[in-house]
C-alpha cells in the first residue's frame, strides 16, 4: 500500500505509530505492524478484553507497547508523550515527524482526542 511505501522507508527517522483504540479491529496502523516494518508503536486500548488480545498478539514484539490506561481527551497528548518517552528511552526527543502515523478511531467522541492532540 502507499501508506507502507511512505512509512516503511528505511531512511525515515524513527517510524512511530500511535494507535488510539487499537483493539477495535484491523486498521491501517495494525496492518502496518503486521507487515513487520521498522515501526515502533504505542497501542492504546481501554477495553480490557481487547487490550488482552493485543498484549497476547504482540507479546514478543519489542517495538510494540500496549497501553491499557483509560484516558480523557485532555490527558491524551501528555500521556502519549510520556509513554513514548519511557518506551523509546535513549531515542528522545523524537524527530519532527513524530508520530509518523497517528490513528484515532472516529466513534464515541474520539475526535475530541484529535482536537487535544492538535492544540
Amino acid at each position: 500500500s502507499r501508506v507502507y511505501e511512505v512509512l516503511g522507508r528505511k531512511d525515515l527517522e524513527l517510524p512511530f505509530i500511535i494507535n488510539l483504540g487499537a483493539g477495535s479491529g484491523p486498521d491501517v496502523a495494525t496492518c502496518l505492524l503486521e507487515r513487520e516494518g521498522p515501526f515502533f508503536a504505542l497501542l492504546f486500548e481501554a477495553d480490557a478484553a481487547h487490550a488482552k488480545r493485543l498484549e497476547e498478539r504482540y507479546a514478543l514484539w519489542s517495538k510494540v507497547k500496549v497501553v491499557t490506561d483509560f484516558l480523557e481527551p485532555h490527558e491524551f497528548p501528555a500521556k502519549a508523550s510520556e509513554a513514548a518517552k519511557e518506551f523509546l528511552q535513549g531515542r528522545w526527543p523524537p524527530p519532527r515527524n513524530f508520530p509518523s502515523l497517528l490513528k484515532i478511531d472516529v466513534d464515541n467522541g474520539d475526535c475530541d482526542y484529535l482536537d487535544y492532540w492538535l492544540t
Side-chain angles (χ1 to χ4, degrees), residues 8-37:
R9 293 189 339 248
K10 302 246 186 268
D11 65 332
L12 185 65
E13 186 180 358
L14 191 64
F16 199 96
I17 297 168
I18 294 179
N19 187 345
L20 181 67
S24 59
D27 57 41
V28 67
T30 52
C31 289
L32 285 172
L33 291 176
E34 296 300 321
R35 298 273 309 255
E36 297 187 27

Side-chain angles (χ1 to χ4, degrees), residues 7 21 24 41 49 52 55 64 66 72-73 96:
L7 297 180
S24 59
K52 185 176 186 326
E55 288 170 341
V64 177
V66 178
E72 294 291 335
R96 249 187 39 230

Side-chain angles (χ1 to χ4, degrees), residues 91-107:
R91 296 180 185 93
W92 201 261
R96 249 187 39 230
N97 68 335
F98 179 83
S100 306
L101 176 68
L102 173 62
K103 180 255 150 187
I104 299 176
D105 283 348
V106 290
D107 57 353

Side-chain angles (χ1 to χ4, degrees), residues 11-112:
D11 65 332
L12 185 65
E13 186 180 358
L14 191 64
F16 199 96
I17 297 168
I18 294 179
N19 187 345
L20 181 67
S24 59
D27 57 41
V28 67
T30 52
C31 289
L32 285 172
L33 291 176
E34 296 300 321
R35 298 273 309 255
E36 297 187 27
F39 308 103
F40 287 85
L42 287 176
L43 307 179
F44 286 86
E45 181 54 58
D47 181 279
H50 291 313
K52 185 176 186 326
R53 283 194 294 274
L54 288 171
E55 288 170 341
E56 290 169 354
R57 172 69 186 107
Y58 297 108
L60 300 177
W61 296 39
S62 63
K63 293 182 173 184
V64 177
K65 177 180 171 76
V66 178
V67 181
T68 58
D69 298 339
F70 176 80
L71 303 174
E72 294 291 335
H74 70 277
E75 299 173 310
F76 175 57
K79 293 288 187 176
S81 293
E82 287 172 23
K85 183 176 183 177
E86 177 185 311
F87 183 48
L88 294 172
Q89 297 173 358
R91 296 180 185 93
W92 201 261
R96 249 187 39 230
N97 68 335
F98 179 83
S100 306
L101 176 68
L102 173 62
K103 180 255 150 187
I104 299 176
D105 283 348
V106 290
D107 57 353
N108 300 318
D110 292 336
C111 291
D112 294 339

